[in-house]
Amino acid sequence: QLIATFNSLLRLARIEASHELPDKNLALDEVVNDAVEMWQVLAEAKEQSIEAEIDPVKIDGDRNLLFQLISNLLDNAIKYAPMQSRIHVQLNAKDTSAVLSISDSGPGIAAGEHEHVFDRFVRLESHRGTPGSGLGLSVVRAIAIQHHANISLQSANPGLRVVLQFPVASDSMSGNMDKMSSN
């Protein structure tokens, strides 16, 4: 576990030090679909299902980092949601944003803890018995910041909904503007 924690810290430092987004017009829907497909096996082991509603959306971003972000969120959802529950993943475009949400029916996070859980090594008292180092959401926040995304935690009644809003790809925006001006 010490090695895993060290590797997570090293990855977090690399993410925070990097400022480049190598992929223009990255198909975020493909990244989300790949992550859902990979994590579905773990969900099924807990008799859970992952339901996905994924629209085609392009953003400027790093495929590997975005896969890590989605994987961390799905890992948490599977870990904290009860047996035989559903995890819901949704991706769609709204105005100039790509909106990704992942919801579960686990214990959720109290509103007063929402900002605090993104800090390094934070483990909520109710989660102390579960495996982890308290770095997963720190990594998620670092990747979101690098991608100029807003992240928020909401109640899913019951459970937690994590919502990320990414700016759509700059080329997609100009394509949308061209369509609007020709109408």
Side-chain angles (χ1 to χ4, degrees), residues 1 20 27 44 101-102 117 147 162 172 181:
Q1 185 164 354
E20 294 182 26
E44 288 171 0
S101 69
I102 298 177
V117 296
H147 287 81
V162 180
S172 297
S181 63

Side-chain angles (χ1 to χ4, degrees), residues 6 20 27 31 46-47 49 53 56 67 73 84-85 91-92 95 98 101-102 115-116 121 147 160 162 175 182:
F6 177 77
E20 294 182 26
V31 179
K46 279 188 72 176
E47 300 176 26
S49 64
E53 297 176 39
F67 187 87
L73 294 175
Q84 301 176 337
S85 63
L91 174 67
N92 54 42
D95 301 321
S101 69
I102 298 177
E115 286 304 312
H116 184 61
F121 302 112
H147 287 81
L160 181 68
V162 180
S182 66

Side-chain angles (χ1 to χ4, degrees), residues 93-182:
K94 289 185 180 171
D95 301 321
T96 60
S97 297
V99 181
L100 172 66
S101 69
I102 298 177
S103 305
D104 65 59
S105 57
I109 297 173
E113 299 287 339
H114 282 187
E115 286 304 312
H116 184 61
V117 296
F118 291 108
D119 295 339
R120 293 176 188 188
F121 302 112
V122 168
R123 303 274 304 175
L124 297 178
E125 196 58 42
S126 59
H127 300 161
R128 294 254 182 232
T130 57
S133 62
L135 291 171
L137 288 178
S138 297
V139 170
V140 166
R141 179 177 60 186
I143 295 169
I145 289 169
Q146 186 177 14
H147 287 81
H148 310 290
N150 294 323
I151 185 168
S152 64
L153 303 180
Q154 304 168 357
S155 174
N157 294 320
L160 181 68
R161 177 178 300 112
V162 180
V163 179
L164 291 128
Q165 291 184 300
F166 298 89
V168 293
S170 50
D171 290 351
S172 297
M173 291 281 295
S174 61
N176 288 341
M177 293 297 196
D178 292 344
K179 286 179 192 174
M180 289 172 39
S181 63
S182 66

